[in-house]
Amino acid sequence: MSIDVNNESGTEVDERAILDIARYALARMRIHPLSELSVIVVDEDAMEQLHIQWMDLPGPTDVMSFPMDELRPPSKDEEEPPQGLLGDIVLCPEVAKKQGEDAPTQHSMDEELQLLTVHGVLHLLGYDHEEPDEKAEMFGLQAAIVDGWRGENGVTGPSPAPTVS
């Protein structure tokens, strides 16, 4: 798996954890091991520009995903996953910091960035959360991946992953 993390934000973030949880998420979703992903960390101004340009929405957001080859997880265990370019995930640590502080778990910026990385990976793989059933599926996968990664890495404390009831 080729995953590049490029921090252009000027904010110190745990790039190793972002890389590691992205790799874990892609393996868990059975994405071809030679597929490629790019994660870019930007400041609020750059994220706001992307948000306006691509979503026509004001203000910065937490994460944006830009799929390339529209890869999808194999639907059956015996299917061989296709190889390709997953695309780009763009993260904003300033927004992540605020979201983490405002969350019921009051988790760190880095924990929020890990959650957002998984969220971005799932969007690249075609998952969405517009409809209640889509949201339940995507957030369930998101929590399973984040909590699985945290468990394998000995991370303790409440999960930053929100649940959908």
Side-chain angles (χ1 to χ4, degrees):
M1 198 80 60
S2 173
I3 303 171
D4 290 324
V5 178
N6 185 11
N7 185 358
E8 302 173 355
S9 71
T11 300
E12 187 174 324
V13 301
D14 187 348
E15 295 176 35
R16 187 81 195 140
I18 291 171
L19 174 73
D20 197 46
I21 201 165
R23 186 180 317 279
Y24 180 86
L26 295 172
R28 182 97 182 240
M29 298 304 293
R30 299 188 56 239
I31 299 305
H32 196 285
L34 296 179
S35 295
E36 298 178 31
L37 170 69
S38 176
V39 180
I40 304 154
V41 184
V42 299
D43 64 17
E44 280 185 313
D45 291 339
M47 183 59 102
E48 182 173 15
Q49 290 176 3
L50 290 170
H51 204 209
I52 291 169
Q53 179 180 355
W54 294 100
M55 304 294 290
D56 200 24
L57 295 171
T61 190
D62 51 0
V63 59
M64 294 184 74
S65 298
F66 299 93
M68 294 291 287
D69 289 343
E70 298 189 9
L71 299 179
R72 299 292 181 262
S75 58
K76 298 177 183 171
D77 286 343
E78 62 271 7
E79 287 183 10
E80 181 70 23
Q83 177 184 343
L85 299 173
L86 277 164
D88 299 329
I89 297 172
V90 183
L91 303 169
C92 183
E94 292 151 299
V95 175
K97 183 176 188 301
K98 291 175 196 162
Q99 286 183 173
E101 290 170 351
D102 293 343
T105 54
Q106 297 182 328
H107 50 267
S108 71
M109 174 194 70
D110 283 317
E111 288 175 304
E112 184 71 10
L113 288 171
Q114 294 153 18
L115 172 67
L116 294 171
T117 299
V118 173
H119 192 88
V121 164
L122 292 174
H123 272 307
L124 290 178
L125 295 175
Y127 290 91
D128 206 346
H129 47 84
E130 288 295 317
E131 300 298 326
D133 59 329
E134 293 174 333
K135 184 175 182 178
E137 180 183 22
M138 183 174 176
F139 279 42
L141 276 170
Q142 181 177 271
I145 292 168
V146 169
D147 293 347
W149 179 80
R150 289 169 58 90
E152 284 192 8
N153 288 281
V155 179
T156 59
S159 172
T163 57
V164 176
S165 54

